[in-house]
Amino acid sequence: MYKCNQVRLQQTIEHFSQFGATENGGVTRLSLSKEDILARDYFKECCEALGMKVKIDDMANMYAVLPGKKDLPPIVMGSHLDSVVKGGRFDGVLGILTALEAVRTIIDNDIELDVPLMIINFTNEEGARFDPAMMSSGVITEKFEKDVMLQSTDKEGTTFAQALAQSGYEGDVTNRLKNALAYIELHIEQGPVLEAKGLEIGVVEGVLGMVCYEIRINGQSNHAGTTPMSMRKDPMLVASKIINYLHGELSKLDEELVYTFGRMNVKPNIHTVIPNEVVFTIDSRHQNREVMKQVENVLLALQDEMDGCTVQAVKLWGRDTVHFNSVICDEIEAACQSFGYSSHRMYSGAGHDAQYVASVVPSAMIFVPSVDGKSHCEEELTSYEDCAKGADILLETVLTLQAKQSVNPTAITK
Ligand SMILES: [Zn+2]
């Protein structure tokens, strides 16, 4: 077993934190912004200093390869260097920097590899500058059409195509990821579970399926002072009844089910006027397709008329749970046991590049604890000790997989 160098990892994280540093200790590093380009340039420099070759594909995804002795497809690590506005110093970048630390440790220890290793930086994972999230892992795995993505526009009116052309990171389509043996993405948990349970590593078995519905309620606008309560058709009162009702029904289904009423639009949204329309969303997530079906049944069974208002439940979108590769998950868990790090099998409630990569390459994820479960904010924090433990597990998993793979090329099956 090889331990990573915590001090060096900390220094590397601190160095990357300068690219887009914010006043309160976070980062704003929007995809293909000048801060992102600086981070990319430095990442490339670090990889080349280790003897890795860096290739770029047509979506500006970066691929750094450490050659192996055999001509085999690579084992891949990675994540994303971009952040949200006023995001943290760990989301995404940690998956790349722990991978870098793993490669540095391999080189320090003269470990000979049969299988090539690759580190990927996926472009525009956050979707914070260009919608949608996980854009470029989505394009190379045929979840999104590239032509449509090129037209995605940021707040300044710059299209993704323009940003790509100006970035200096528009590479060749032939460099896209294909035919890898495994993909392992280390990421901060972005939730409170590991910390609350006092655990060190999350073995991520998949990404939760989700549905998002819009509940549209229409009533009658009228004067807030002159209309007696008994003569109103008030969609806001109906909305509050429905939210309470849904909370009651959904909380009975499964204790791991989560649901959120995250957006509400009120028309005309004036304090002296009874609204004529209230539209709110419910986002719900669970790993089990049956439970998600039950959620949808509850939503679709809402009465279409309540207190004089019409009620409609409209599905905006949904995705099935993505299950990661069990062989890789077992290896991650075994690595935790070897190091004596406590671990916990779990599903990710948030989306990650790995969920798209999983459709073409056997994939899994490693989570490290988030202090107070916070992410996408400047307070986002994972202790350097926990970061280093994550790097140990990433390295150990990669080494075990490459040893197995070199003997038996079908050791990891989809
Ligand atoms: Zn992320």
Side-chain angles (χ1 to χ4, degrees):
M1 280 171 358
Y2 298 91
K3 261 191 89 60
C4 289
N5 182 331
Q6 184 183 322
V7 174
R8 178 171 58 192
L9 177 61
Q10 175 174 346
Q11 284 165 352
T12 312
I13 294 168
E14 285 169 351
H15 196 111
F16 273 83
S17 305
Q18 298 167 23
F19 305 123
T22 58
E23 271 173 33
N24 301 311
V27 295
T28 298
R29 196 161 55 229
L30 296 175
S31 192
L32 302 180
S33 64
K34 67 174 190 304
E35 296 79 15
D36 185 36
I37 304 291
L38 288 172
R40 284 166 171 265
D41 291 347
Y42 185 61
F43 170 58
K44 186 163 180 274
E45 196 183 311
C46 292
C47 292
E48 286 172 347
L50 296 170
M52 302 177 91
K53 279 209 174 64
V54 181
K55 289 184 176 176
I56 316 290
D57 74 12
D58 57 319
M59 292 298 288
N61 295 317
M62 301 174 72
Y63 306 86
V65 179
L66 183 74
K69 281 189 292 179
K70 291 186 183 170
D71 185 23
L72 286 167
I75 290 177
V76 186
M77 303 170 276
S79 197
H80 58 95
L81 288 174
D82 70 323
S83 81
V84 297
V85 173
K86 294 195 178 179
R89 296 176 295 136
F90 300 89
D91 181 348
V93 63
L94 189 62
I96 291 179
L97 301 188
T98 48
L100 196 60
E101 178 53 38
V103 171
R104 285 171 169 166
T105 305
I106 285 169
I107 290 170
D108 285 351
N109 290 281
D110 293 319
I111 304 171
E112 297 214 334
L113 300 172
D114 284 334
V115 179
L117 297 188
M118 179 187 273
I119 307 177
I120 298 190
N121 168 32
F122 283 113
T123 304
N124 194 39
E125 191 276 346
E126 293 289 4
R129 181 174 178 197
F130 300 103
D131 205 45
M134 299 170 283
M135 178 194 274
S136 303
S137 55
V139 166
I140 66 166
T141 56
E142 297 181 345
K143 305 291 181 286
F144 302 130
E145 278 183 47
K146 183 183 168 186
D147 287 346
V148 178
M149 297 301 113
L150 290 176
Q151 297 316 310
S152 181
T153 306
D154 71 8
K155 276 200 220 129
E156 270 73 53
T158 307
T159 62
F160 182 70
Q162 288 166 332
L164 204 54
Q166 288 158 14
S167 68
Y169 276 91
E170 187 171 17
D172 199 281
V173 65
T174 56
N175 290 332
R176 286 187 185 185
L177 176 70
K178 48 191 171 289
N179 202 20
L181 295 179
Y183 174 69
I184 307 167
E185 180 166 353
L186 180 144
H187 205 278
I188 56 167
E189 181 195 349
Q190 300 181 273
V193 175
L194 291 175
E195 185 184 58
K197 290 180 187 279
L199 297 165
E200 292 159 308
I201 299 288
V203 180
V204 187
E205 298 183 282
V207 176
L208 294 186
M210 63 177 285
V211 288
C212 184
Y213 271 74
E214 208 171 60
I215 310 295
R216 300 176 185 161
I217 307 159
N218 287 90
Q220 176 71 58
S221 268
N222 216 327
H223 196 285
T226 61
T227 318
M229 294 310 286
S230 62
M231 295 172 73
R232 298 183 180 205
K233 295 176 178 175
D234 184 344
M236 184 56 96
L237 292 177
V238 173
S240 91
K241 278 190 186 174
I242 292 178
I243 290 172
N244 266 309
Y245 167 77
L246 289 176
H247 177 45
E249 292 300 302
L250 300 182
S251 63
K252 289 181 211 157
L253 291 183
D254 186 287
E255 65 172 14
E256 294 201 347
L257 178 72
V258 291
Y259 46 89
T260 306
F261 305 99
R263 163 165 70 76
M264 181 176 272
N265 297 327
V266 180
K267 282 183 188 163
N269 210 15
I270 297 169
H271 81 91
T272 54
V273 181
I274 300 163
N276 57 34
E277 182 182 85
V278 174
V279 178
F280 67 88
T281 54
I282 170 166
D283 167 309
S284 184
R285 306 180 189 212
H286 194 276
Q287 71 196 61
N288 185 327
R289 195 185 284 223
E290 274 312 301
V291 176
M292 294 311 299
K293 193 73 219 151
Q294 288 167 5
V295 171
E296 291 198 67
N297 289 341
V298 171
L299 293 168
L300 293 170
L302 285 172
Q303 301 167 26
D304 45 21
E305 222 186 300
M306 272 178 82
D307 300 344
C309 297
T310 59
V311 178
Q312 241 188 320
V314 181
K315 186 171 183 169
L316 296 185
W317 64 289
R319 70 164 185 239
D320 286 335
T321 295
V322 173
H323 298 282
F324 288 148
N325 183 276
S326 60
V327 176
I328 304 177
C329 288
D330 289 348
E331 291 301 347
I332 296 169
E333 198 165 40
C336 293
Q337 276 157 11
S338 307
F339 273 94
Y341 298 161
S342 53
S343 69
H344 174 62
R345 288 197 172 233
M346 61 197 297
Y347 275 75
S348 171
H352 296 289
D353 290 311
Q355 84 194 48
Y356 289 152
V357 177
S359 65
V360 293
V361 175
S363 300
M365 292 184 73
I366 298 168
F367 274 175
V368 288
S370 293
V371 173
D372 294 332
K374 285 185 183 167
S375 77
H376 284 189
C377 60
E378 293 169 305
E379 299 82 44
E380 179 183 286
L381 184 66
T382 297
S383 73
Y384 290 115
E385 197 186 343
D386 283 341
C387 293
K389 285 176 184 166
D392 291 340
I393 298 304
L394 179 64
L395 171 61
E396 179 67 14
T397 305
V398 163
L399 290 178
T400 317
L401 287 176
Q402 82 89 29
K404 282 196 172 174
Q405 200 70 37
S406 132
V407 181
N408 170 14
T410 58
I412 313 165
T413 48
K414 273 190 199 171

